[in-house]
Amino acid sequence: MMFAARSPWGWFLGCLLLRVTGSLASDSLGASHITFGEDCSPHSQPWQVALFKEDEFFCSGVLVHPQWVLSAAHCHQDSYTVGLGLHSLEASQELGSRMVPAQLSIQHPQYNQPLLANDLMLIKLNEAVPQSDTIRNISVVSQCPTPGDSCLLSGWGLQENGRLPKRLQCVNISVVSEEICKESYSPLYHHSMFCAGGGQDRKDSCNGDSGGPLVCNRSLQGLVSLGQNQCGEPGMPSVYTNLCKFTNWIKTTIQTS
């Protein structure tokens, strides 16, 4: 059984960033996309952000404060350009969007201890961003997920044809039990993780969706973290950072940084 961090595509393809096995460069390793999703309603996910390095998209994130973005720790870089209020990655000046630089990013101090655990970081924008119809922060959950919860996943990961979608993709998936998650990801499973998806409909996250939001009950429940090497396999859910375990760290880091 093979596992892979939901590694960003593009400018560091050759780096295999925390990818347990495989490479996005090989088609034999499986599709790279939100599987069986559809175009989101424009700006229905106003907290969704796109992270760029040298004008190339590589990860997603979530606006949780007017000046702070949450993303996966395995997306960490020295600097970022953060796209907010975007529906299409192709629109350089999309109405209602903003591109904001960021230099400060803080990985969770126990990230990758043990392997692939605690996969989250905070990115501080160089300026606070006013809320609008297209840009709005979302609250982080205070309660942990319940098996069977229906949640909305969104992202710009590669599609079945190997190309980026023109518009943000959305798909509904369900949280699975801790027992199924442990069984699917032993011995990597850690309490900082939870699983969702794995249904016969093959709806799933995949490479290119790293750091993106999983929204349950109108709150941010998880971040895209890792999954099976073959995306969208029935009976094989994917792993999300369990944000209910990190509410104090998120709040304290924002207040003191």
Side-chain angles (χ1 to χ4, degrees):
M1 189 176 293
M2 296 184 290
F3 309 114
R6 288 298 187 230
S7 302
W9 66 280
W11 61 273
F12 53 71
L13 276 179
C15 295
L16 307 180
L17 181 60
L18 291 179
R19 196 167 170 77
V20 179
T21 182
S23 165
L24 283 169
S26 172
D27 291 339
S28 66
L29 294 174
S32 300
H33 52 283
I34 279 185
T35 58
F36 295 92
E38 58 186 19
D39 290 357
C40 302
S41 298
H43 308 297
S44 61
Q45 314 303 311
W47 41 80
Q48 177 102 29
V49 310
L51 302 182
F52 297 87
K53 181 71 172 180
E54 298 177 356
D55 297 324
E56 188 155 16
F57 166 74
F58 68 95
C59 269
S60 286
V62 193
L63 191 69
V64 294
H65 177 279
Q67 200 168 358
W68 288 88
V69 167
L70 265 177
S71 186
H74 74 258
C75 293
H76 181 268
Q77 292 298 312
D78 293 333
S79 63
Y80 315 80
T81 299
V82 180
L84 303 107
L86 293 171
H87 183 55
S88 171
L89 294 180
E90 295 181 343
S92 58
Q93 293 184 337
E94 187 173 345
L95 185 65
S97 68
R98 293 191 62 180
M99 303 296 283
V100 180
Q103 277 76 44
L104 175 64
S105 56
I106 305 169
Q107 291 175 305
H108 191 274
Q110 276 78 54
Y111 167 57
N112 220 25
Q113 301 175 13
L115 181 66
L116 301 177
N118 306 303
D119 188 13
L120 74 160
M121 69 171 171
L122 278 161
I123 301 170
K124 187 176 185 180
L125 305 177
N126 286 8
E127 60 182 276
V129 178
Q131 306 289 284
S132 68
D133 290 340
T134 57
I135 301 172
R136 189 166 71 247
N137 55 272
I138 187 173
S139 60
V140 179
V141 293
S142 56
Q143 295 184 337
C144 291
T146 301
D149 283 351
S150 179
C151 305
L152 183 67
L153 170 70
S154 54
W156 288 283
L158 299 179
Q159 293 184 304
E160 290 91 336
N161 58 12
R163 299 177 182 177
L164 283 174
K166 292 183 178 180
R167 292 166 287 274
L168 185 68
Q169 299 293 292
C170 284
V171 69
N172 286 296
I173 57 176
S174 296
V175 175
V176 303
S177 68
E178 185 176 11
E179 290 72 25
I180 291 175
C181 198
K182 285 180 177 178
E183 180 180 349
S184 299
Y185 288 92
S186 176
L188 285 178
Y189 176 81
H190 184 261
H191 64 79
S192 65
M193 307 170 179
F194 74 99
C195 291
Q200 294 301 311
D201 54 15
R202 303 187 65 186
K203 295 177 179 180
D204 194 10
S205 61
C206 199
N207 305 71
D209 293 318
S210 288
L214 187 67
V215 175
C216 311
N217 301 313
R218 301 183 180 180
S219 296
L220 180 63
Q221 188 81 63
L223 302 172
V224 177
S225 181
L226 63 104
Q228 301 290 332
N229 206 46
Q230 178 71 36
C231 305
E233 283 293 296
M236 291 294 180
S238 290
V239 172
Y240 299 83
T241 305
N242 199 359
L243 293 177
C244 65
K245 307 286 186 179
F246 300 102
T247 52
N248 288 338
W249 179 80
I250 292 168
K251 182 179 179 179
T252 301
T253 302
I254 289 174
Q255 289 178 341
T256 59
S257 301

